[in-house]
């Protein structure tokens, strides 16, 4: 028997025994080491995705770990290999797949949402989802490869080029990662973020920031660009005000890359799109090349992953960690240590938090 963190109903998680089946043909069994909690996991925890997530559901898709066993027909992998997982399973038959866009398959199985995820001590996945990690990369830092792959994909979709002026609206984990990846591509980057802790962290990482609560961000962009406007804006806040800011900072033929998930329709200044010939680009998930580049960026220190990890908790304390993330404040990224099943808080088992 192994332990798993399960979503059972709105605002209720538990840690419970889970059966570990041997890997079948084309599959591998992993021992997850660290699993990050992301915004999508919080949406599930709040009950917002009950129409999609079948409870009890094992969460988690930002992970690192090692191969334990390989199933029949699996080649190139052996026990002990350090890996992360690109948590996508597509059907290869739908129109999106046939056009070469498997990552947005029209029947996509996002592992960790649509099927069991990584927040458990043993996890069986298709061998095709594995991404090799260098032995020199600590596994806690490697848990940030998946969100870094998101950022790599976003920067690629926006077409960020050297010398371009980029505004990132929203300085949470993904926003900071986008800013760092864009900077690595040679862009001049500014981050607009309300939370003072997040602004401080961004500044410690060498990123210039603005506080939209106290500053007129479009006016600041005008002074920064000589009234030309930004070349690219990333909307990562998920807020209506963030959409307005992202549109208003753009110059002629600027590109707005929509990263955040907006659960309801937003009003958008379409006159601005017409007047300045703006472009709106959606960015969702990643492909294998994004993941492989993300591994390199984390491994070589371009992404200082250790600075983004606020806390590491044992598996049994994962339910309480969700509550800590809800509060925002000084928390950026919390990792769950799946190798540590020591006793946590009294309400970890069957907790409603």
């Amino acid at each position: 028997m192994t332990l798993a963190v399960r979503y059972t109903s709105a605002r209720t998680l538990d840690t419970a025994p889970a059966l570990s089946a041997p890997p079948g043909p084309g599959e591998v069994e992993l021992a997850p080491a660290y699993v990050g909690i992301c915004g999508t996991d919080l949406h599930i925890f709040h009950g917002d995705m009950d129409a999609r997530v079948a409870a009890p559901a094992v969460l988690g898709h930002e992970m690192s770990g090692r191969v334990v066993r390989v199933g029949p027909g699996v080649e190139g992998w052996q026990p002990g290999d350090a890996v992360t997982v690109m948590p996508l399973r597509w059907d290869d038959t739908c129109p999106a797949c046939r056009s070469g866009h498997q990552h947005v398959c029209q029947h996509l199985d996002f592992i960790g949402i649509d099927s069991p995820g990584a927040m458990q001590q043993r996890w069986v996945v298709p061998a095709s989802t594995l991404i090799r990690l260098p032995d020199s990369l600590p596994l806690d830092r490697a848990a940030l490869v998946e969100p870094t792959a998101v950022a790599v994909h976003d920067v690629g979709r926006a077409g960020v080029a050297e010398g371009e002026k980029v505004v990132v609206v929203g300085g949470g984990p993904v926003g900071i990662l986008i800013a760092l990846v864009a900077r690595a591509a040679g862009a001049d980057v500014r981050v607009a973020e309300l939370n003072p802790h997040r602004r401080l962290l961004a500044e410690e990482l060498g990123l210039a920031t603005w506080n939209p609560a106290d500053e007129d961000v479009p006016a600041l962009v005008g002074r920064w660009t000589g009234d030309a406007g930004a070349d690219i804006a990333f909307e990562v806040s998920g807020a209506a005000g963030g959409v307005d800011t992202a549109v208003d900072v753009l110059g002629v033929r600027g590109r707005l890359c929509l990263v955040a998930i907006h659960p309801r329709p937003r009003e958008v200044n379409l006159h601005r799109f017409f007047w300045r010939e703006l472009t709106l680009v959606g960015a969702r998930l990643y492909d294998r090349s994004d993941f492989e580049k993300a591994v390199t960026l984390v491994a070589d220190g371009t992404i200082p992953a250790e600075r983004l990890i606020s806390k590491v908790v044992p598996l049994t304390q994962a339910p309480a960690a969700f509550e800590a993330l809800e509060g925002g404040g000084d928390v950026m990224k919390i990792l769950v240590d799946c190798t540590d099943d020591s006793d946590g808080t009294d309400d970890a088992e069957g907790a409603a938090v």
Side-chain angles (χ1 to χ4, degrees), residues 227-245:
D227 288 329
D231 298 295
I232 302 165
F234 291 90
E235 203 310 279
V236 201
S237 73
V243 175
D244 293 339
T245 298

Side-chain angles (χ1 to χ4, degrees), residues 139-187:
L139 290 181
D140 56 349
R141 300 180 190 183
L144 272 75
V145 165
E146 193 272 353
T148 301
V150 170
V152 170
H153 184 76
D154 298 340
V155 169
R157 284 285 288 154
V160 174
E162 186 172 359
E164 289 193 304
K165 295 193 181 297
V166 172
V167 177
V168 179
V169 181
V174 172
I176 295 295
L177 289 169
I178 289 171
L180 292 170
V181 174
R183 184 175 69 181

Side-chain angles (χ1 to χ4, degrees), residues 13-90:
L13 302 172
D14 68 14
T15 52
L19 292 174
S20 179
E27 295 180 331
V28 295
E29 181 182 18
L30 304 180
Y34 297 94
V35 181
I37 303 172
C38 81
T40 302
D41 297 321
L42 285 176
H43 283 302
I44 295 171
F45 173 62
H46 294 153
D48 298 338
M49 298 177 65
D50 282 356
R52 178 176 173 184
V53 176
V58 180
L59 306 183
H61 57 272
E62 301 179 0
M63 65 79 63
S64 62
R66 294 189 182 276
V67 174
V68 175
R69 288 187 288 180
V70 300
V74 173
E75 298 180 354
W77 299 101
Q78 60 185 6
D81 285 344
V83 298
T84 186
V85 167
M86 185 175 75
L88 308 180
R89 186 187 288 116
W90 49 80

Side-chain angles (χ1 to χ4, degrees), residues 195-240:
N195 184 295
H197 171 74
R198 290 177 171 181
R199 286 199 309 275
L200 178 60
L201 176 60
E203 290 162 5
E204 290 173 348
L205 296 176
L207 297 166
T209 70
W210 292 318
N211 179 4
D214 298 332
E215 301 172 291
D216 184 339
V217 173
L220 290 171
V221 171
R223 292 197 289 273
W224 175 41
T225 63
D227 288 329
D231 298 295
I232 302 165
F234 291 90
E235 203 310 279
V236 201
S237 73

Side-chain angles (χ1 to χ4, degrees), residues 222-295:
R223 292 197 289 273
W224 175 41
T225 63
D227 288 329
D231 298 295
I232 302 165
F234 291 90
E235 203 310 279
V236 201
S237 73
V243 175
D244 293 339
T245 298
V247 173
D248 290 346
V249 300
L250 289 170
V252 171
R253 292 208 168 182
R255 289 102 74 194
L256 169 57
C257 185
L258 181 62
V259 178
I261 298 173
H262 289 261
R264 60 184 63 86
R266 301 293 192 192
E267 289 189 6
V268 178
N269 185 351
L270 292 180
H271 183 268
R272 183 94 171 177
F273 271 81
F274 157 74
W275 199 251
R276 293 204 164 189
E277 292 196 347
L278 304 181
T279 298
L280 172 62
V281 177
R284 177 188 170 201
L285 300 175
Y286 29 62
D287 59 26
R288 180 166 286 271
S289 65
D290 296 323
F291 246 87
E292 291 170 347
K293 183 173 181 179
V295 170

